[in-house]
Structures are given as structure tokens and as C-alpha cells.
mmCIF file of all heavy atoms in Angstrom:
data_model
loop_
_atom_site.group_PDB
_atom_site.id
_atom_site.type_symbol
_atom_site.label_atom_id
_atom_site.label_comp_id
_atom_site.label_asym_id
_atom_site.label_seq_id
_atom_site.Cartn_x
_atom_site.Cartn_y
_atom_site.Cartn_z
ATOM 1 N N PRO A 1 177.807 85.013 67.269
ATOM 2 C CA PRO A 1 176.601 84.696 68.048
ATOM 3 C C PRO A 1 175.347 84.696 67.184
ATOM 4 O O PRO A 1 175.257 85.404 66.186
ATOM 5 C CB PRO A 1 176.560 85.820 69.090
ATOM 6 C CG PRO A 1 177.295 86.945 68.451
ATOM 7 C CD PRO A 1 178.385 86.312 67.636
ATOM 8 N N SER A 2 174.393 83.898 67.580
ATOM 9 C CA SER A 2 173.082 83.942 66.946
ATOM 10 C C SER A 2 172.371 85.235 67.346
ATOM 11 O O SER A 2 172.629 85.788 68.411
ATOM 12 C CB SER A 2 172.247 82.736 67.395
ATOM 13 O OG SER A 2 172.897 81.521 67.091
ATOM 14 N N ASN A 3 171.492 85.713 66.484
ATOM 15 C CA ASN A 3 170.651 86.869 66.808
ATOM 16 C C ASN A 3 171.470 88.063 67.276
ATOM 17 O O ASN A 3 171.213 88.655 68.330
ATOM 18 C CB ASN A 3 169.628 86.490 67.890
ATOM 19 C CG ASN A 3 168.836 85.248 67.536
ATOM 20 O OD1 ASN A 3 168.346 85.136 66.421
ATOM 21 N ND2 ASN A 3 168.728 84.318 68.472
ATOM 22 N N ALA A 4 172.490 88.420 66.477
ATOM 23 C CA ALA A 4 173.437 89.461 66.889
ATOM 24 C C ALA A 4 172.760 90.810 67.138
ATOM 25 O O ALA A 4 173.080 91.511 68.101
ATOM 26 C CB ALA A 4 174.533 89.612 65.836
ATOM 27 N N LYS A 5 171.803 91.201 66.288
ATOM 28 C CA LYS A 5 171.136 92.487 66.478
ATOM 29 C C LYS A 5 170.301 92.482 67.752
ATOM 30 O O LYS A 5 170.239 93.473 68.477
ATOM 31 C CB LYS A 5 170.274 92.807 65.263
ATOM 32 C CG LYS A 5 171.067 93.153 64.008
ATOM 33 C CD LYS A 5 170.146 93.567 62.869
ATOM 34 C CE LYS A 5 170.957 93.952 61.627
ATOM 35 N NZ LYS A 5 170.072 94.345 60.497
ATOM 36 N N GLU A 6 169.669 91.364 68.027
ATOM 37 C CA GLU A 6 168.886 91.251 69.255
ATOM 38 C C GLU A 6 169.787 91.357 70.474
ATOM 39 O O GLU A 6 169.418 91.968 71.485
ATOM 40 C CB GLU A 6 168.139 89.918 69.272
ATOM 41 C CG GLU A 6 167.311 89.686 70.523
ATOM 42 C CD GLU A 6 166.728 88.289 70.597
ATOM 43 O OE1 GLU A 6 166.175 87.840 69.574
ATOM 44 O OE2 GLU A 6 166.831 87.654 71.672
ATOM 45 N N LEU A 7 170.991 90.773 70.384
ATOM 46 C CA LEU A 7 171.941 90.858 71.491
ATOM 47 C C LEU A 7 172.321 92.306 71.759
ATOM 48 O O LEU A 7 172.362 92.744 72.915
ATOM 49 C CB LEU A 7 173.179 90.023 71.173
ATOM 50 C CG LEU A 7 174.351 90.140 72.156
ATOM 51 C CD1 LEU A 7 173.929 89.754 73.569
ATOM 52 C CD2 LEU A 7 175.522 89.269 71.681
ATOM 53 N N ASP A 8 172.612 93.075 70.705
ATOM 54 C CA ASP A 8 172.968 94.484 70.887
ATOM 55 C C ASP A 8 171.849 95.252 71.578
ATOM 56 O O ASP A 8 172.085 96.067 72.476
ATOM 57 C CB ASP A 8 173.265 95.125 69.528
ATOM 58 C CG ASP A 8 174.567 94.632 68.924
ATOM 59 O OD1 ASP A 8 175.398 94.074 69.672
ATOM 60 O OD2 ASP A 8 174.759 94.802 67.709
ATOM 61 N N ALA A 9 170.616 94.990 71.168
ATOM 62 C CA ALA A 9 169.471 95.684 71.764
ATOM 63 C C ALA A 9 169.289 95.282 73.222
ATOM 64 O O ALA A 9 168.985 96.132 74.074
ATOM 65 C CB ALA A 9 168.206 95.373 70.968
ATOM 66 N N PHE A 10 169.505 94.005 73.518
ATOM 67 C CA PHE A 10 169.350 93.539 74.895
ATOM 68 C C PHE A 10 170.390 94.187 75.803
ATOM 69 O O PHE A 10 170.062 94.647 76.908
ATOM 70 C CB PHE A 10 169.476 92.016 74.956
ATOM 71 C CG PHE A 10 169.374 91.464 76.349
ATOM 72 C CD1 PHE A 10 168.138 91.275 76.952
ATOM 73 C CD2 PHE A 10 170.523 91.161 77.071
ATOM 74 C CE1 PHE A 10 168.046 90.792 78.253
ATOM 75 C CE2 PHE A 10 170.441 90.674 78.368
ATOM 76 C CZ PHE A 10 169.199 90.494 78.956
ATOM 77 N N VAL A 11 171.639 94.229 75.353
ATOM 78 C CA VAL A 11 172.705 94.831 76.161
ATOM 79 C C VAL A 11 172.390 96.295 76.444
ATOM 80 O O VAL A 11 172.583 96.786 77.575
ATOM 81 C CB VAL A 11 174.066 94.692 75.447
ATOM 82 C CG1 VAL A 11 175.122 95.557 76.130
ATOM 83 C CG2 VAL A 11 174.509 93.241 75.433
ATOM 84 N N LYS A 12 171.876 97.012 75.462
ATOM 85 C CA LYS A 12 171.547 98.425 75.652
ATOM 86 C C LYS A 12 170.490 98.597 76.732
ATOM 87 O O LYS A 12 170.598 99.471 77.595
ATOM 88 C CB LYS A 12 171.063 99.015 74.323
ATOM 89 C CG LYS A 12 170.742 100.494 74.389
ATOM 90 C CD LYS A 12 170.338 101.029 73.021
ATOM 91 C CE LYS A 12 170.008 102.515 73.079
ATOM 92 N NZ LYS A 12 169.631 103.041 71.746
ATOM 93 N N GLN A 13 169.471 97.750 76.714
ATOM 94 C CA GLN A 13 168.389 97.877 77.685
ATOM 95 C C GLN A 13 168.818 97.456 79.090
ATOM 96 O O GLN A 13 168.504 98.146 80.074
ATOM 97 C CB GLN A 13 167.200 97.018 77.239
ATOM 98 C CG GLN A 13 166.541 97.491 75.956
ATOM 99 C CD GLN A 13 165.469 96.532 75.473
ATOM 100 O OE1 GLN A 13 165.020 95.681 76.228
ATOM 101 N NE2 GLN A 13 165.072 96.669 74.220
ATOM 102 N N VAL A 14 169.543 96.354 79.179
ATOM 103 C CA VAL A 14 169.873 95.809 80.491
ATOM 104 C C VAL A 14 170.924 96.646 81.217
ATOM 105 O O VAL A 14 171.071 96.542 82.439
ATOM 106 C CB VAL A 14 170.330 94.336 80.331
ATOM 107 C CG1 VAL A 14 171.779 94.249 79.884
ATOM 108 C CG2 VAL A 14 170.105 93.546 81.602
ATOM 109 N N SER A 15 171.641 97.512 80.451
ATOM 110 C CA SER A 15 172.710 98.315 81.042
ATOM 111 C C SER A 15 172.307 99.763 81.310
ATOM 112 O O SER A 15 173.077 100.518 81.899
ATOM 113 C CB SER A 15 173.940 98.308 80.117
ATOM 114 O OG SER A 15 174.359 96.990 79.819
ATOM 115 N N ASP A 16 171.122 100.155 80.885
ATOM 116 C CA ASP A 16 170.660 101.538 81.021
ATOM 117 C C ASP A 16 169.845 101.681 82.306
ATOM 118 O O ASP A 16 168.757 101.103 82.429
ATOM 119 C CB ASP A 16 169.809 101.917 79.813
ATOM 120 C CG ASP A 16 169.363 103.379 79.847
ATOM 121 O OD1 ASP A 16 169.592 104.060 80.869
ATOM 122 O OD2 ASP A 16 168.772 103.827 78.847
ATOM 123 N N PRO A 17 170.334 102.451 83.276
ATOM 124 C CA PRO A 17 169.597 102.603 84.549
ATOM 125 C C PRO A 17 168.178 103.136 84.377
ATOM 126 O O PRO A 17 167.342 102.966 85.270
ATOM 127 C CB PRO A 17 170.460 103.581 85.348
ATOM 128 C CG PRO A 17 171.826 103.435 84.770
ATOM 129 C CD PRO A 17 171.623 103.160 83.312
ATOM 130 N N ARG A 18 167.890 103.770 83.248
ATOM 131 C CA ARG A 18 166.553 104.329 83.027
ATOM 132 C C ARG A 18 165.622 103.346 82.307
ATOM 133 O O ARG A 18 164.446 103.651 82.089
ATOM 134 C CB ARG A 18 166.668 105.625 82.218
ATOM 135 C CG ARG A 18 167.483 106.693 82.931
ATOM 136 C CD ARG A 18 167.650 107.933 82.069
ATOM 137 N NE ARG A 18 168.530 108.910 82.720
ATOM 138 C CZ ARG A 18 168.931 110.051 82.158
ATOM 139 N NH1 ARG A 18 168.522 110.361 80.939
ATOM 140 N NH2 ARG A 18 169.753 110.867 82.801
ATOM 141 N N SER A 19 166.146 102.198 81.933
ATOM 142 C CA SER A 19 165.332 101.206 81.230
ATOM 143 C C SER A 19 164.601 100.318 82.229
ATOM 144 O O SER A 19 165.153 99.955 83.274
ATOM 145 C CB SER A 19 166.220 100.336 80.335
ATOM 146 O OG SER A 19 165.529 99.186 79.885
ATOM 147 N N PRO A 20 163.368 99.921 81.924
ATOM 148 C CA PRO A 20 162.651 98.990 82.817
ATOM 149 C C PRO A 20 163.315 97.619 82.894
ATOM 150 O O PRO A 20 163.031 96.850 83.815
ATOM 151 C CB PRO A 20 161.251 98.909 82.192
ATOM 152 C CG PRO A 20 161.437 99.337 80.772
ATOM 153 C CD PRO A 20 162.525 100.356 80.786
ATOM 154 N N ASN A 21 164.195 97.340 81.951
ATOM 155 C CA ASN A 21 164.899 96.052 81.949
ATOM 156 C C ASN A 21 166.282 96.135 82.586
ATOM 157 O O ASN A 21 167.039 95.169 82.545
ATOM 158 C CB ASN A 21 165.031 95.522 80.513
ATOM 159 C CG ASN A 21 163.693 95.125 79.930
ATOM 160 O OD1 ASN A 21 162.862 94.541 80.609
ATOM 161 N ND2 ASN A 21 163.473 95.459 78.663
ATOM 162 N N TYR A 22 166.615 97.305 83.165
ATOM 163 C CA TYR A 22 167.941 97.465 83.791
ATOM 164 C C TYR A 22 168.158 96.419 84.876
ATOM 165 O O TYR A 22 167.304 96.198 85.742
ATOM 166 C CB TYR A 22 168.065 98.851 84.398
ATOM 167 C CG TYR A 22 169.372 99.090 85.134
ATOM 168 C CD1 TYR A 22 170.584 99.019 84.459
ATOM 169 C CD2 TYR A 22 169.378 99.376 86.497
ATOM 170 C CE1 TYR A 22 171.781 99.233 85.133
ATOM 171 C CE2 TYR A 22 170.577 99.604 87.178
ATOM 172 C CZ TYR A 22 171.775 99.523 86.486
ATOM 173 O OH TYR A 22 172.959 99.727 87.150
ATOM 174 N N GLY A 23 169.304 95.781 84.813
ATOM 175 C CA GLY A 23 169.683 94.825 85.845
ATOM 176 C C GLY A 23 169.086 93.441 85.682
ATOM 177 O O GLY A 23 169.375 92.555 86.491
ATOM 178 N N LYS A 24 168.268 93.229 84.657
ATOM 179 C CA LYS A 24 167.673 91.907 84.450
ATOM 180 C C LYS A 24 168.629 91.070 83.589
ATOM 181 O O LYS A 24 168.349 90.724 82.447
ATOM 182 C CB LYS A 24 166.298 92.037 83.802
ATOM 183 C CG LYS A 24 165.296 92.765 84.695
ATOM 184 C CD LYS A 24 163.934 92.911 84.017
ATOM 185 C CE LYS A 24 162.960 93.653 84.931
ATOM 186 N NZ LYS A 24 161.628 93.837 84.300
ATOM 187 N N TYR A 25 169.777 90.773 84.192
ATOM 188 C CA TYR A 25 170.868 90.137 83.468
ATOM 189 C C TYR A 25 170.589 88.658 83.181
ATOM 190 O O TYR A 25 169.818 87.999 83.884
ATOM 191 C CB TYR A 25 172.163 90.250 84.280
ATOM 192 C CG TYR A 25 172.510 91.661 84.706
ATOM 193 C CD1 TYR A 25 172.715 91.975 86.049
ATOM 194 C CD2 TYR A 25 172.633 92.673 83.768
ATOM 195 C CE1 TYR A 25 173.050 93.265 86.443
ATOM 196 C CE2 TYR A 25 172.964 93.967 84.154
ATOM 197 C CZ TYR A 25 173.174 94.258 85.489
ATOM 198 O OH TYR A 25 173.487 95.538 85.880
ATOM 199 N N LEU A 26 171.279 88.160 82.167
ATOM 200 C CA LEU A 26 171.191 86.746 81.821
ATOM 201 C C LEU A 26 172.230 85.948 82.604
ATOM 202 O O LEU A 26 173.295 86.468 82.952
ATOM 203 C CB LEU A 26 171.454 86.544 80.324
ATOM 204 C CG LEU A 26 170.516 87.219 79.336
ATOM 205 C CD1 LEU A 26 170.974 86.925 77.913
ATOM 206 C CD2 LEU A 26 169.086 86.767 79.550
#
């Protein structure tokens, strides 16, 4: 995948119930 490090960071945020980005799936 392109931007592999960015993908890892996005998955961490979107999957963490305490993150403001939780549930904002692609």
C-alpha cells in the first residue's frame, strides 16, 4: 500500500474508542 506508515496511524486512531477519530471509517 501507499503511505504505509500513515495507514498504521490511521488504523490506530479509528479503532481506539478514546480517540476523537474513533469510528470515522473509510
Side-chain angles (χ1 to χ4, degrees):
S2 302
N3 308 313
K5 289 185 178 179
E6 179 187 313
L7 173 58
D8 289 342
F10 178 81
V11 168
K12 182 177 180 179
Q13 294 174 16
V14 80
S15 305
D16 184 353
R18 299 177 185 175
S19 166
N21 292 320
Y22 177 61
K24 296 179 181 179
Y25 307 124
L26 299 178

